[in-house]
Amino acid sequence: MPHAVQYVAVEAPDGEVVGYVWADYTAGTLKWAQRAATGTDGHRLGATWSAKVAQAGERGRPLAGALTGLARDAGTGPPVDAPGPEAVAELARTVTDADDRRLLAQLDHGDAPAWRELAEAYAALTDDDRDIRWGGGEKNSNGSIQVAYPVYSKPLWRVVAALWGIGAVTPEHRLSASADPAVPPRGRLQPADAVRAATLLAAGERISEGTVDEAVRSGLFDAMVRALLDHHATRAP
C-alpha cells in the first residue's frame, strides 16, 4: 500500500528543480506543483510538464503506475513519500540559493554609467519627493468618479527608471508567482530580494498604480536602492 502522498521532482537540464509531480492516493488525483521561484526557462518547462501530467491523469491508469511512468520520464529517481499535500506545497514554495544567483546574474555591473545614474538620482531625492500625492477621485459631470492615481515627482521616477538600466528589472522574477518582498526587521534587504523588489516596483506599477507609493511608505524603496548599490560596490569591475 503506497504512502498517502508521493511525489517526483522534475529538473531542468541545468539541475534546477522546476516542479513536482505528485499523487494523492486518498483523493485519487495526480497533480503538478510548479515551483514558484523558477525563472522563465523553468516556467516554460513547467508548462510542458503540467500538460504531461494532465494527459497522464486522463488515461485512466492506476495512480501508482502513472506516477512511476512519469518518474522514469523525469529521470530523478523513484517516487518519494510525503506526509500530505502541504509537504509538496511547501517544497514548491522553497527559494534556493540558485534562485538568488539567477536573479543577481541579471545585474549589469559593467555598465558604470547606469549605476552612476542610479546613485546620483537616489542622492538627489528630497523628503518632498517621498511625500507622494494622489490625483483624481473627483466626480465627473455624468456622476462617475475619476479613478485616483499617484503623482510621482520627476526625481522619484528618475530612480525607478534607473532600475531598468542596471538590469534590476527582470522577467526572471515572475511577479504573479511569488510573494512581494518585505523590509526585514533591521531594514536591510538581501541583494536578490532587492532585485525582486525592483521588479515589483518598476514592472508592478504598470499593473497596479500606487505600488511605488506603498514601497516608499513602507521603507522597501530605500532598502532596495541601498542594497543594490551596496552589492554593486562589492562586484563592480
Side-chain angles (χ1 to χ4, degrees), residues 104 107 109 115 191 226-236:
L104 293 176
L107 296 174
H109 292 289
W115 286 94
R226 288 195 295 266
L228 289 170
L229 292 175
D230 288 348
H231 177 65
H232 175 64
T234 68
R235 298 296 299 273

Side-chain angles (χ1 to χ4, degrees), residues 36-40 102-103 106 168-181 192-193 195-200 203:
T38 56
T40 52
R102 185 181 65 253
L103 292 181
Q106 309 306 308
V169 184
T170 171
E172 288 298 313
H173 174 56
R174 296 181 298 109
L175 295 175
S176 61
S178 306
D180 294 344
D193 285 335
V195 175
R196 294 181 177 97
T199 303
L200 169 68

Side-chain angles (χ1 to χ4, degrees), residues 113-205:
W115 286 94
R116 187 163 54 249
E117 167 64 10
L118 175 62
E120 292 176 354
Y122 182 65
L125 286 182
T126 66
D127 290 341
D128 190 55
D129 294 316
R130 291 182 170 84
D131 184 16
I132 298 163
R133 299 164 180 82
W134 282 67
E138 296 88 2
K139 194 171 188 178
N140 296 323
S141 58
N142 62 3
S144 63
I145 304 297
Q146 184 181 8
V147 176
Y149 56 89
V151 181
Y152 298 119
S153 69
K154 288 183 178 180
L156 180 64
W157 199 251
R158 179 187 172 193
V159 177
V160 176
L163 298 172
W164 293 88
I166 64 170
V169 184
T170 171
E172 288 298 313
H173 174 56
R174 296 181 298 109
L175 295 175
S176 61
S178 306
D180 294 344
V183 182
R186 295 191 177 185
R188 295 187 65 84
L189 281 179
Q190 294 298 316
D193 285 335
V195 175
R196 294 181 177 97
T199 303
L200 169 68
L201 268 60
E205 181 69 30

